[in-house]
Amino acid sequence: MRVIVVGGGNAAFAAAAAAREGGAEVTVLERAPKAEAGGNSRFTAGAMRLAYSGVEDLRRLMPDLTDEEVARTDFGAYAEEQFFEDMGRVTEYRTDPELCELLVRRSRPTLFWMAEKGVRFAPIWGRQAFQVDGRFKFWGGLTVEAWGGGPGLVDAWTGIAVREGIQVRYGARALSLIAGDDGVRGVRARIEGRTHELAADAVVLAAGGFQANAEWRTRYLGPGWDLAKVRGSRFNTGDGLKMALEIGAMPYGHWSGCHAVGWERNAPEFGDLTVGDGFQKHSYPFGIMLNARGERFVDEGADFRNYTYAKYGREILAQPRQFAWQVFDAKTRHLLRDEYRIRQVTKVTADTLEALVEKLEDVDAVRALDTIRAFNGAVGADVSFDPNVKDGKAARAVSPPKSNWAQAIDTPPFEAYAVTCGITFTFGGVRIDRSGRVLDVDLAPIPGLYAAGEMVGGLFWHNYPGGTGLTAGAVFGKIAGASAAQDGAA
């Protein structure tokens, strides 16, 4: 029994490991050369959202946690009900109910399975917890990341594959599915300049979305999306989706939607593995954002950043010349994430607001100064600032209002960072059933074909809760791989 997995990221390796566990001989086809392998997973920070009852669940997942670390940290709990509510709320209640149920209910056991396989996890102290009165408090339902971030996750999966006898072929671009009346029976692939027909009892497609394909972005996401930067892999051009659609798979989900964030304005066209996710700029809830007209355009404090960052990239892309400046003062500088301190950053500083706005390249300085002063005058003084909760400290007498964490920009030195839109992954995909089988346009399973990861449509619409992408990849990868091995042996 042979299973071919198309793709080389987290979802693909989860599928490969599950299929191998089911007794299959497994080959992974990774389009990228080994030096750039790992898909979008390699470019992530490695955060993974899961439902958990309390610290004991986390200690099972992270046995290295010491008693002292537990004592000085409030990990809280993240019930399945909260996970369901977050998925519903941020997707405007469009998330597919069956897929959402699988994601939420299998999040914890899937991460436990990964840990048993050899993937290590750690708390996200640096990005998801602020220290107050000597104690760290996590917020936003997100506490866990893969050890070593995205690169560490890919390295762990690669080690597992080697140990378990899974063949990984690099520089192997899958071109089409070998399919007929009996379903899918293999893959045509170009490997080292030669085209091969690789037979298989089942194929799992886990080749990512189409975010690195400028033509497809413009076709499906709309005008202007060819101007976005690509956060991750240059190899995610929709090959897997194209193969599936060519044999009659049902398109499903939010094909005009995507995960897009605030990204360094002068970042390269595609992701840079030496920088990883460092080009992202996600501390905007503690400052304000100005466009070329010198105006604010979003509620920076609408929610915790991990519930807004994946949709605010689209808002930045919609601004004149597709950029914005994030502005902070000395009061919140210590809250800025590490990504603000990398060398590859477009940053200006000044000791007065008048001097700062003059340094904001391509911005109407007069209007920008008026906007900052109006914002400062609208900040309420009746609520204390608290970065660990939605504190209700608002600026309401401005448009748009700022709902939380509003503080006057009045304490020098002042800093500003230039950002544009960075697209992470696309939401449109193919339709699958609860077993990970790809459905055709008549909603019947295509024999021998499975999908996982960003290729699964219907889970995310408009937005997504931070850390859910990798978890979904692992959950549906495990499901697809296990099903492929079981059905291939039947």
Side-chain angles (χ1 to χ4, degrees):
M1 174 182 47
R2 186 179 187 195
V3 172
I4 291 177
V5 178
V6 179
N10 170 62
F13 275 116
R20 186 73 180 122
E21 197 173 73
E25 174 188 340
V26 182
T27 298
V28 172
L29 301 181
E30 165 62 283
R31 176 180 167 183
K34 191 171 184 179
E36 297 180 72
N40 262 6
S41 302
R42 182 96 171 264
F43 290 87
T44 70
M48 299 188 72
R49 183 176 293 263
L50 77 155
Y52 63 95
S53 300
V55 70
E56 290 310 312
D57 279 344
L58 298 181
R59 295 196 85 160
R60 178 179 168 188
L61 193 62
M62 300 176 287
D64 295 334
L65 272 179
T66 66
D67 291 341
E68 189 274 332
E69 288 171 333
V70 171
R72 63 182 173 88
T73 307
D74 180 2
F75 287 103
Y78 189 59
E80 289 183 348
E81 292 73 19
Q82 292 174 279
F83 201 160
F84 279 122
E85 172 56 27
D86 285 340
M87 281 293 295
R89 177 171 52 85
V90 303
T91 65
E92 300 180 18
Y93 296 95
R94 288 182 176 269
T95 185
D96 181 286
E98 287 196 344
L99 296 181
C100 184
E101 181 183 13
L102 287 170
L103 168 66
V104 172
R105 299 210 186 282
R106 299 199 185 185
S107 60
R108 178 169 47 188
T110 298
L111 265 68
F112 286 160
W113 172 76
M114 291 172 67
E116 291 166 3
K117 287 288 183 187
V119 178
R120 295 179 64 193
F121 297 96
I124 322 177
W125 275 306
R127 292 178 291 117
Q128 284 294 134
F130 295 113
Q131 192 171 14
V132 177
D133 297 328
R135 198 157 189 257
F136 287 97
K137 180 178 177 61
F138 278 90
W139 46 268
L142 189 57
T143 55
V144 174
E145 66 182 352
W147 187 275
L153 176 61
V154 172
D155 288 347
W157 274 128
T158 304
I160 293 165
V162 171
R163 184 188 73 221
E164 300 193 357
I166 296 168
Q167 182 186 34
V168 182
R169 304 196 69 173
Y170 298 98
R173 182 176 186 175
L175 302 174
S176 61
L177 296 166
I178 301 171
D181 293 341
D182 295 329
V184 173
R185 289 295 174 259
V187 175
R188 292 183 187 88
R190 192 164 182 82
I191 305 171
E192 297 178 353
R194 308 289 295 180
T195 301
H196 302 263
E197 290 198 353
L198 308 176
D201 297 289
V203 174
V204 180
L205 296 176
F210 57 86
Q211 60 272 7
N213 186 329
E215 193 272 335
W216 276 38
R217 290 202 308 270
T218 309
R219 181 194 306 181
Y220 293 111
L221 304 182
W225 278 98
D226 50 334
L227 303 173
K229 307 277 189 179
V230 177
R231 286 186 61 189
S233 172
R234 63 189 174 97
F235 298 101
N236 283 18
T237 55
D239 286 0
L241 292 167
K242 181 174 179 289
M243 287 187 285
L245 297 178
E246 284 176 342
I247 66 163
M250 169 69 86
Y252 189 49
H254 193 186
W255 274 77
S256 62
C258 65
H259 179 303
V261 307
W263 194 246
E264 161 60 39
R265 186 183 183 188
N266 293 304
E269 179 183 6
F270 299 106
D272 182 342
L273 286 171
T274 63
V275 178
D277 69 340
F279 286 128
Q280 64 189 354
K281 296 291 175 282
H282 292 340
S283 294
Y284 57 85
F286 305 129
I288 60 173
M289 286 197 282
L290 301 174
N291 63 16
R293 293 188 292 264
E295 299 170 345
R296 292 175 57 248
F297 55 94
V298 294
D299 179 349
E300 302 90 348
D303 206 334
F304 289 118
R305 71 95 200 161
N306 49 343
Y307 297 122
T308 59
Y309 79 112
K311 67 178 182 178
Y312 277 2
R314 177 184 288 268
E315 298 298 331
I316 295 169
L317 190 73
Q319 303 310 305
R321 299 184 62 178
Q322 301 81 46
F323 77 90
W325 284 87
Q326 298 180 356
V327 181
F328 307 93
D329 74 357
K331 294 194 301 299
T332 54
R333 184 179 181 185
H334 68 288
L335 296 174
L336 301 189
R337 291 154 55 103
D338 289 345
E339 65 224 26
Y340 287 81
R341 288 177 281 277
I342 67 171
R343 179 174 57 84
Q344 304 91 335
V345 66
T346 305
K347 172 186 176 181
V348 296
T349 61
D351 290 326
T352 67
L353 289 174
E354 291 81 1
L356 183 78
V357 296
E358 292 295 337
K359 293 182 177 182
L360 302 182
E361 187 177 356
D362 300 323
V363 172
D364 181 332
V366 173
R367 180 61 183 144
L369 186 60
D370 289 344
T371 297
I372 296 173
R373 287 171 171 167
F375 173 81
N376 288 349
V379 173
D382 55 332
V383 177
S384 297
F385 174 82
D386 185 345
N388 284 308
V389 298
K390 289 195 283 187
D391 59 9
K393 186 172 177 58
R396 303 197 187 281
V398 287
S399 181
K402 184 173 181 181
S403 302
N404 296 283
W405 310 296
Q407 295 195 96
I409 311 293
D410 60 6
T411 307
F414 305 100
E415 299 181 349
Y417 299 80
V419 295
T420 185
C421 172
I423 182 170
T424 312
F425 67 91
T426 46
F427 290 160
V430 295
R431 191 160 195 163
I432 64 170
D433 65 11
R434 293 181 64 89
S435 298
R437 298 180 297 178
V438 176
L439 304 181
D440 66 17
V441 291
D442 295 319
L443 298 184
I446 299 174
L449 186 61
Y450 305 81
E454 294 170 4
M455 287 191 57
V456 173
L459 195 59
F460 305 124
W461 304 73
H462 303 292
N463 192 12
Y464 104 135
T468 314
L470 286 177
T471 302
V475 167
F476 292 102
K478 184 175 187 293
I479 291 170
S483 297
Q486 179 180 351
D487 294 350

